[in-house]
Amino acid sequence: MKSVYLAGGMKGNWQDVVKELVPNNIYYDPRSHKLDDPKEYTEWDLKHVEDADIIFAYMETSNPSGYGMCIEIGWTYNSGKTIIFVNERVGRKWDMVNECCNYVTDNFEDGIQHLREITQK
């Protein structure tokens, strides 16, 4: 069993889809903390990024910025942990973020399949 941090937009239910399609992992879902204070939720997020084995980052087209997700990817980069990045906003401005990730795709289902493969080893 692996631990997976779910980085990305806070609206929608994509996190629930990941948990349903790739069960039997420990998931750190930032929606669960219900913290409003930036200091508190930043500490929670970064602690769980550090605790996770894998970061599953999803930049969906409806996400207005992705800044928090980029911080979480950058925070993880030097750790040697696996970072899966599903980026629906393909474009040159994402090149540096892409380079920090082990697996990059623009297709959510492909990201799910890769997560399934590496957590079921």
Side-chain angles (χ1 to χ4, degrees):
M1 181 180 312
K2 300 284 185 179
S3 57
V4 182
Y5 183 88
L6 301 171
M10 301 291 282
K11 297 180 179 166
N13 69 342
W14 69 267
Q15 297 93 337
D16 298 329
V17 173
V18 172
K19 293 179 216 177
E20 180 182 325
L21 294 177
V22 191
N24 302 321
N25 291 302
I26 298 166
Y27 285 98
Y28 301 123
D29 183 347
R31 297 175 308 163
S32 69
H33 60 57
K34 303 199 186 317
L35 299 169
D36 290 325
D37 180 84
K39 180 175 178 19
E40 291 176 356
Y41 67 68
T42 300
E43 287 176 359
W44 189 98
D45 290 356
L46 295 180
K47 179 205 180 305
H48 288 87
V49 163
E50 290 175 358
D51 291 345
D53 299 311
I54 300 165
I55 305 304
F56 186 94
Y58 181 35
M59 185 62 204
E60 56 194 320
T61 55
S62 63
N63 187 329
S65 73
Y67 294 131
M69 179 198 65
C70 289
I71 290 169
E72 293 158 348
I73 289 172
W75 194 264
T76 306
Y77 176 67
N78 279 329
S79 71
K81 296 178 184 184
T82 298
I83 304 169
I84 299 169
F85 184 30
V86 178
N87 185 7
E88 293 180 348
R89 289 192 174 178
V90 175
R92 183 151 171 77
K93 72 178 184 175
W94 292 98
D95 287 352
M96 191 172 185
V97 178
N98 291 340
E99 289 301 315
C100 292
C101 301
N102 305 87
Y103 181 84
V104 179
T105 182
D106 63 356
N107 183 283
F108 186 72
E109 290 78 18
D110 290 347
I112 293 287
Q113 181 58 34
H114 188 71
L115 179 64
R116 185 179 293 119
E117 289 169 4
I118 65 174
T119 60
Q120 294 179 352
K121 288 183 179 181

